[in-house]
Amino acid sequence: MNILITAGGTSESIDTVRSISNHATGRLGAIIADTFAKAGSHITYVCSEHAMLPTCENVEQISIQNVEQLLKTLETLLHERSFDCVIHSMAVSDYRPQTVLTMEDIAEALMKLTQQSDFSQEDLLPDICTAILNAGKPLNDKKISSAASNMLLLLEKTPKVIRCIKAIQPHTLLVGFKLLSQVSRLELLDAGQQLLRQNDCDFVLANDLKNIKDDTHKAFLINKDGILQDAKTKQDIAEMIFKYVSERLEERK
Amino acid sequence: MNILITAGGTSESIDTVRSISNHATGRLGAIIADTFAKAGSHITYVCSEHAMLPTCENVEQISIQNVEQLLKTLETLLHERSFDCVIHSMAVSDYRPQTVLTMEDIAEALMKLTQQSDFSQEDLLPDICTAILNAGKPLNDKKISSAASNMLLLLEKTPKVIRCIKAIQPHTLLVGFKLLSQVSRLELLDAGQQLLRQNDCDFVLANDLKNIKDDTHKAFLINKDGILQDAKTKQDIAEMIFKYVSERLEERK
């Protein structure tokens, strides 16, 4: 099998010395990669800089830092090679820094707006939002000054990387990952189903941070019909994914 | 000699899965630690999780994550033990996440303000600051929702950790570090002098990111009278600091 695995967490620069990072270690991704590689699969392993690496051979490693690099790398790989399955375990930043604002920037923008606009009118929200969006200083190659007692970091949504996978290779099997924190089982399974539907995943691994500690890693593997199986450790998860992916690929032959 | 060295970069949590981190690798701190340890010093090495570690013996390692933990750790160490010298090379976050706001939160707060306040009056800045400070949702143990197309992260200044060092041990030698990005030599040296004066440093290592690449690491060691010496590699820097610190401690005997 030819398998593409993403692992670790992306990191988005604020300035030359700071960034917003996802904590993911890549440990689960590395164990999944080793489980598939041991069974003879060729693995393309796209991971972040500090991510844990698989120990097996047959693993080709590509390192990325931010969402933009991840997207470009996956697009290139998916156009150039055919994958039987894509296992997208990487924690991808939902937001990235867009501009930085001081309180003064916002005050100035608001003052200007009050001089131009009729504040008796009902909905000034869009105008105020636009004013704030335009008030920030673009982030550049300099280190942000640390003079102000407060600072506002305006974040913008990153593109949904997972969407490119089936868009480019509609016939690859896609395993998505949903990680939430401190939610009910029902909420977790609902969020998993939503990810599955919105991105045309074949399987989703749904897990909650509260159930991940040391060797314990509780998770559900779901498909559109509901829960297929649950697991209690990272090794369990890897074997569970391997089993269902292999079965599905076998059925297709 | 009994030396306290800080190295690496602090990291401040945004939520359970994200944080703002300083990129520092701790490589310079590790080389400085080894240089002092080889000469027989006992090193207490306070570093961040992913920081590079010294290879010598006589190094006691303490790991911290954020500014608050760093401050508590240094205060405890400085109260319990006497250090001949503190070499504070760690990149400490200037800001940490305080609250998270959506555009709507901020726009609503400002709308309310425009209805209450007289916008002809000169300085609305304090009112605007208060409104924004109060509009945010406190960060808690949950993962921030990723529904909104933009998000604002309100950052507050962290306490100045370096100030505690001479406040608790006035007679220790203190080496501060000033890292800027893309500035003139004059601006860098001025910033170094300012750090030195404000925090009662005996020496400051002043360097610019543009002069740090692979094996090259240009830096100046300054004291209140100006530049003492410059260096071109991390090993140079370590030996330069060792030389001046040793000389000064020798003079004191």
Side-chain angles (χ1 to χ4, degrees):
Chain A
M1 288 187 281
N2 205 12
I3 313 282
L4 174 60
I5 297 177
T6 67
T10 57
S11 178
E12 300 290 333
S13 286
I14 299 172
D15 62 11
T16 43
V17 301
R18 284 168 275 233
S19 61
I20 296 185
S21 309
N22 275 60
H23 298 172
T25 59
R27 199 167 145 226
L28 178 58
I31 293 173
I32 295 171
D34 278 333
T35 303
F36 278 83
K38 269 178 203 149
S41 294
H42 177 272
I43 312 293
T44 307
Y45 191 74
V46 177
C47 65
S48 50
E49 202 188 347
H50 291 291
M52 287 190 63
L53 300 177
T55 52
C56 275
E57 291 181 12
N58 299 326
V59 177
E60 181 187 343
Q61 186 207 325
I62 301 170
S63 178
I64 61 96
Q65 197 199 348
N66 59 32
V67 175
E68 200 183 331
Q69 290 166 359
L70 173 64
L71 186 58
K72 275 189 191 164
T73 302
L74 293 190
E75 283 174 345
T76 306
L77 285 169
L78 290 161
H79 279 299
E80 285 177 355
R81 308 180 198 176
S82 174
F83 294 99
D84 298 300
C85 178
V86 179
I87 299 172
H88 185 39
S89 76
M90 185 178 257
V92 181
S93 312
D94 294 315
Y95 293 96
R96 64 185 162 206
Q98 184 177 7
T99 59
V100 62
L101 301 104
T102 60
M103 290 294 194
E104 286 74 14
D105 293 332
I106 289 184
E108 261 176 48
L110 188 66
M111 292 285 280
K112 228 182 266 176
L113 192 65
T114 56
Q115 285 154 13
Q116 292 163 356
S117 302
D118 173 13
F119 267 76
S120 59
Q121 77 179 78
E122 278 282 295
D123 194 11
L124 268 178
L125 284 195
D127 290 347
I128 293 179
C129 290
T130 309
I132 296 169
L133 281 173
N134 294 332
K137 290 178 193 69
L139 296 158
N140 57 26
D141 285 347
K142 280 213 165 190
K143 192 175 159 183
I144 293 169
S145 155
S146 54
S149 69
N150 286 98
M151 192 79 93
L152 280 149
L153 202 55
L154 177 67
L155 308 172
E156 62 178 350
K157 274 211 108 164
T158 54
K160 277 276 170 208
V161 171
I162 195 172
R163 297 224 172 117
C164 81
I165 298 169
K166 287 270 182 148
I168 302 175
Q169 282 193 26
H171 298 298
T172 195
L173 274 189
L174 174 56
V175 185
F177 283 67
K178 189 70 190 177
L179 176 66
L180 292 178
S181 176
Q182 307 280 348
V183 298
S184 69
R185 179 186 154 117
L186 190 65
E187 201 177 327
L188 178 62
L189 293 174
D190 275 353
Q193 283 298 341
Q194 205 181 326
L195 178 74
L196 192 124
R197 278 194 310 273
Q198 285 176 348
N199 302 289
D200 199 11
C201 298
D202 298 278
F203 303 103
V204 162
L205 190 91
N207 49 170
D208 188 314
L209 267 176
K210 72 181 172 192
N211 297 321
I212 306 175
K213 212 192 162 191
D214 304 328
D215 279 343
T216 304
H217 190 145
K218 292 187 190 164
F220 301 104
L221 189 67
I222 63 174
N223 71 359
K224 64 179 174 11
D225 301 321
I227 299 175
L228 291 166
Q229 194 177 322
D230 64 331
K232 290 190 175 58
T233 66
K234 287 182 172 54
Q235 190 59 51
D236 272 5
I237 293 172
E239 284 162 17
M240 174 170 79
I241 292 174
F242 177 74
K243 182 181 110 183
Y244 281 90
V245 166
S246 307
E247 276 178 15
R248 183 69 76 86
L249 291 175
E250 200 56 44
E251 286 165 21
R252 285 190 177 177
K253 276 183 185 166
Chain B
M1 290 188 280
N2 204 11
I3 312 283
L4 174 60
I5 297 176
T6 67
T10 58
S11 178
E12 300 289 334
S13 286
I14 299 172
D15 62 12
T16 43
V17 300
R18 282 168 275 232
S19 61
I20 296 185
S21 308
N22 275 59
H23 298 171
T25 58
R27 199 168 145 225
L28 179 58
I31 293 173
I32 296 172
D34 277 334
T35 303
F36 278 84
K38 271 179 203 150
S41 294
H42 177 271
I43 312 294
T44 307
Y45 191 74
V46 178
C47 65
S48 50
E49 201 189 347
H50 290 293
M52 285 188 64
L53 301 176
T55 51
C56 275
E57 291 180 11
N58 299 325
V59 177
E60 182 186 342
Q61 185 207 325
I62 301 171
S63 178
I64 60 97
Q65 197 199 349
N66 59 31
V67 175
E68 199 183 332
Q69 291 167 358
L70 173 64
L71 186 59
K72 276 190 189 161
T73 302
L74 292 190
E75 282 175 346
T76 306
L77 285 169
L78 290 161
H79 279 298
E80 285 177 356
R81 309 180 196 175
S82 174
F83 294 99
D84 298 300
C85 179
V86 180
I87 299 171
H88 184 39
S89 76
M90 185 178 256
V92 181
S93 311
D94 294 315
Y95 293 96
R96 64 185 162 208
Q98 186 177 4
T99 59
V100 62
L101 303 103
T102 61
M103 284 294 204
E104 286 70 21
D105 291 334
I106 220 169
E108 264 174 42
L110 295 178
M111 282 283 282
K112 232 182 258 175
L113 190 66
T114 56
Q115 286 155 9
Q116 292 162 357
S117 303
D118 173 14
F119 267 75
S120 60
Q121 78 180 74
E122 280 280 294
D123 193 11
L124 270 177
L125 187 55
D127 291 347
I128 290 174
C129 289
T130 309
I132 294 172
L133 285 172
N134 293 333
K137 291 177 193 70
L139 296 159
N140 56 27
D141 284 346
K142 280 215 167 189
K143 191 175 161 185
I144 294 169
S145 154
S146 54
S149 70
N150 285 97
M151 192 78 94
L152 283 146
L153 204 55
L154 178 68
L155 308 172
E156 62 179 349
K157 273 212 108 163
T158 54
K160 277 277 170 208
V161 170
I162 194 171
R163 298 225 171 115
C164 81
I165 298 170
K166 287 270 181 149
I168 302 175
Q169 282 193 26
H171 297 298
T172 195
L173 274 188
L174 174 56
V175 186
F177 283 66
K178 189 68 187 179
L179 176 66
L180 291 179
S181 176
Q182 307 279 350
V183 299
S184 69
R185 179 187 155 120
L186 192 66
E187 199 176 328
L188 177 62
L189 293 173
D190 276 353
Q193 283 297 341
Q194 204 181 328
L195 178 75
L196 192 126
R197 281 194 309 274
Q198 285 177 349
N199 303 290
D200 199 10
C201 298
D202 298 278
F203 304 102
V204 162
L205 190 91
N207 50 171
D208 188 312
L209 267 177
K210 71 181 172 193
N211 298 321
I212 306 175
K213 210 191 162 190
D214 303 327
D215 279 343
T216 304
H217 190 147
K218 292 187 189 163
F220 301 104
L221 189 68
I222 63 174
N223 72 359
K224 63 179 177 7
D225 300 321
I227 299 174
L228 291 166
Q229 194 176 322
D230 63 332
K232 290 190 176 57
T233 66
K234 288 183 170 55
Q235 190 59 50
D236 273 4
I237 293 172
E239 282 162 18
M240 174 171 79
I241 292 174
F242 177 74
K243 182 182 111 185
Y244 281 91
V245 166
S246 307
E247 275 177 17
R248 181 70 76 85
L249 291 174
E250 199 56 43
E251 285 165 22
R252 283 192 178 174
K253 276 186 185 164

